[in-house]
Amino acid sequence: MTTPAPRRRGRPGHDLDAVLSAAVLLFNERGYDATSMFDIAESLGITKSSVYHHISGKEQLLQMAMDRALDGLFEAAEDVTRLDRPAIERLEQLIRRSVLVLAERFEFVTVLLRVRGNTAVEQHALSRRREFDTVVTELVKQAQAEGGVRPDVDPATAARLLLGMVNSLTEWYRPRPGGADAIADAVSTVAFEGLRM
């Protein structure tokens, strides 16, 4: 005869991911500045000191949220640059992958797109965003040099328009199973039918 396991007393513990998820939800609902550490703790049903057990403060949570979004984009860029394909195909793959990253990390990307550079953490995130923009711009330039993209399109403008189309999804798209692939197809079709030679 087995003895039943003792019941745990008190509230279940929260790990760092749970704290980050709660913070990101509130940042998107109320804004970063309007969200307090008390709000984050209250949403989890724990004390503020329990939240501080995981992190040093609200700014660290913002940093982690933005890194989660940006790391996904840079991972996609690294994967695409390794492909032995024409630049136009790598560019299209990167835009498709950016849509998928946005859908998979929707809440984190939404936080990232709302920062304005008011703090050192936000400035760092904006710097990384510009770095990603440069990767896309360089791919457009390579595709032009190979004859895959129209020569009358400014590469930096094309990059901004492509990323703007992807980023605009945070305004209306709601992630659902299987939905991201269809959106990636639509973005790809609309964008690249106009860019290709």
Side-chain angles (χ1 to χ4, degrees):
M1 185 168 151
T2 59
T3 317
R7 292 180 65 185
R8 291 182 64 186
R9 293 183 176 208
R11 295 177 203 250
H14 291 283
D15 61 11
L16 181 58
D17 277 342
V19 172
L20 179 59
S21 294
V24 165
L25 183 69
L26 290 171
F27 293 165
N28 285 327
E29 283 178 2
R30 302 176 183 187
Y32 173 74
D33 291 330
T35 301
S36 70
M37 292 297 286
F38 176 78
D39 296 329
I40 295 166
E42 187 177 51
S43 75
L44 290 166
I46 59 178
T47 63
K48 212 162 65 161
S49 62
S50 297
V51 175
Y52 281 112
H53 172 74
H54 296 287
I55 49 104
S56 61
K58 191 171 77 163
E59 197 165 65
Q60 184 184 356
L61 289 167
L62 181 63
Q63 175 78 60
M64 291 169 63
M66 293 186 298
D67 283 346
R68 184 84 53 102
L70 286 160
D71 290 349
L73 292 172
F74 279 99
E75 287 165 18
E78 283 178 29
D79 290 347
V80 165
T81 55
R82 289 191 197 113
L83 296 175
D84 185 22
R85 292 187 186 160
I88 186 67
E89 291 181 24
R90 287 182 281 134
L91 177 63
E92 187 171 0
Q93 267 308 312
L94 182 53
I95 297 306
R96 286 183 57 78
R97 290 279 304 274
S98 297
V99 171
L100 298 177
V101 167
L102 182 142
E104 178 186 297
R105 303 177 188 205
F106 188 81
E107 293 80 10
F108 301 102
V109 174
T110 302
V111 168
L112 172 67
L113 295 178
R114 290 181 177 168
V115 300
R116 296 291 171 252
N118 298 330
T119 66
V121 167
E122 291 182 15
Q123 289 168 9
H124 177 69
L126 292 177
S127 173
R128 286 189 74 196
R129 278 186 65 186
R130 285 190 293 276
E131 189 181 334
F132 186 75
D133 291 353
T134 301
V135 170
V136 178
T137 301
E138 288 304 313
L139 268 175
V140 174
K141 287 180 185 174
Q142 289 174 30
Q144 279 180 324
E146 293 173 6
V149 167
R150 300 164 47 143
D152 60 339
V153 175
D154 174 64
T157 302
R160 286 189 193 100
L161 289 170
L162 289 168
L163 293 173
M165 191 182 308
V166 173
N167 294 342
S168 72
L169 297 176
T170 60
E171 299 301 321
W172 58 269
Y173 177 69
R174 294 298 163 254
R176 61 189 189 282
D181 287 322
I183 296 295
D185 289 342
V187 168
S188 186
T189 299
V190 169
F192 289 92
E193 290 304 314
L195 280 178
R196 275 196 167 86
M197 285 290 290

